[in-house]
Amino acid sequence: MYLFTLLGNLLIMATIWSERSLHTPMYLFLCALSISEILFTVAVTPRMLVDMLSTHHSITFVACASQMFFSFTFGFTHSFLLMIMGYDRYVAICHPLRYNVLMGTQGCASLVFWSWAGGSVMGMMVTLIVFHLNFCGSNMIHHFACHVLPLLKLSCGKETSSVTLGVILVCVTALLGCLFLIFLSYVFIVAAILRIPSAEGRHKTFSTCVSHLTVVVVHYGFASIIYLKPKGPHSMDSNTLMATTYTVFTPFLSPIIFSLRNRELKNAIKKCVCRKVCLVSS
């Protein structure tokens, strides 16, 4: 599954770069999304696989902080990129005549840059806040990775509860802010689609949004199950299981969804693979 995640996202990136017909803002954002998913997977999954195959489960303080920084950076970057992909669909459907002006090369590059910058700031801020705390007592993390909530449970001091609340508020505000803007984009998109007179035109227009909308539902659906489900007597074990599922399955499903639900990308992938096979066979 780990290799499929890497190969699937690499295949999407290679197809977009090799096919000139895909050199559009939507596929530029998709390429950036694939990069963030590859880096997120590389930041977390290899260490998890090593721990699964080893009897000695330990991680240094610096490695733990680095893992948290990179996982939060690429995770928030993923959310910010999904948000600007929603904005791209909004401009394409609601303001098609102004699309080339609003989504020019420089503007798209700026949106991608600020998505990565925002993810880096969020990752650095959360990591610095958490590792500024004092840790006492047990040093055993009840999680498969250096996740923020299990680490906060190991901290001690009067400021622990306020820091925990602050970290949760920052993360939830950022994620819900992205989700709200995506939702707002689709409110205007649906309103614009309903004004299209023909059923075929409505179906064709909405089909350009299906893959993005599906990935948004998967991404935020898994996240809401992890962070919003009620606590129970075995909540620590169940949270670890759900977080593992989220970390592994979300990057795994994204290339499948985009390649199967997007006809243009699916045809381009087939064309690219056939071209490579023909070159090898000749």
Side-chain angles (χ1 to χ4, degrees), residues 244-278:
T244 306
T245 305
Y246 170 76
T247 302
V248 174
F249 270 94
T250 302
F252 171 74
L253 291 175
S254 290
I256 297 177
I257 293 169
F258 278 112
S259 59
L260 292 180
R261 301 297 301 178
N262 189 310
R263 183 178 300 176
E264 186 178 16
L265 179 61
K266 181 167 63 176
N267 292 335
I269 290 175
K270 290 180 181 178
K271 182 180 176 181
C272 183
V273 171
C274 290
R275 187 164 57 240
K276 297 296 183 183
V277 170
C278 292

Side-chain angles (χ1 to χ4, degrees), residues 66-249:
S66 299
Q67 187 184 68
M68 176 179 287
F69 167 72
F70 288 118
S71 62
F72 269 84
T73 295
F74 303 136
F76 276 107
T77 300
H78 188 274
S79 295
F80 294 148
L81 288 169
L82 287 176
M83 179 182 67
I84 65 173
M85 289 175 77
Y87 173 71
D88 171 76
R89 293 297 83 209
Y90 160 74
V91 175
I93 294 173
C94 298
H95 303 282
L97 298 180
R98 301 178 59 195
Y99 183 78
N100 291 331
V101 176
L102 295 174
M103 304 302 292
T105 303
Q106 186 175 357
C108 292
S110 297
L111 289 173
V112 172
F113 169 79
W114 285 113
S115 295
W116 282 95
S120 300
V121 169
M122 292 294 297
M124 180 63 71
M125 182 170 60
V126 172
T127 304
L128 289 176
I129 291 174
V130 171
F131 283 89
H132 180 71
L133 295 170
N134 294 319
F135 294 94
C136 53
S138 174
N139 62 350
M140 182 177 294
I141 304 172
H142 295 281
H143 207 272
F144 71 93
C146 289
H147 197 265
V148 59
L149 295 180
L151 280 172
L152 288 172
K153 292 180 181 297
L154 301 180
S155 63
C156 56
K158 297 180 179 179
E159 59 185 9
T160 299
S161 58
S162 60
V163 169
T164 301
L165 181 60
V167 169
I168 292 174
L169 284 176
V170 168
C171 295
V172 170
T173 301
L175 292 175
L176 289 183
C178 293
L179 182 60
F180 173 74
L181 292 174
I182 292 171
F183 175 77
L184 195 61
S185 297
Y186 275 99
V187 168
F188 289 109
I189 287 171
V190 170
I193 290 175
L194 292 177
R195 289 196 295 268
I196 299 175
S198 67
E200 183 181 356
R202 291 194 295 269
H203 178 268
K204 184 178 180 180
T205 303
F206 186 73
S207 65
T208 62
C209 305
V210 171
S211 55
H212 171 256
L213 194 57
T214 305
V215 171
V216 169
V217 170
V218 170
H219 176 72
Y220 281 96
F222 272 113
S224 63
I225 291 173
I226 294 170
Y227 295 109
L228 300 180
K229 74 180 187 67
K231 302 294 182 182
H234 304 289
S235 60
M236 186 67 73
D237 293 334
S238 61
N239 283 345
T240 302
L241 178 61
M242 287 306 304
T244 306
T245 305
Y246 170 76
T247 302
V248 174
F249 270 94

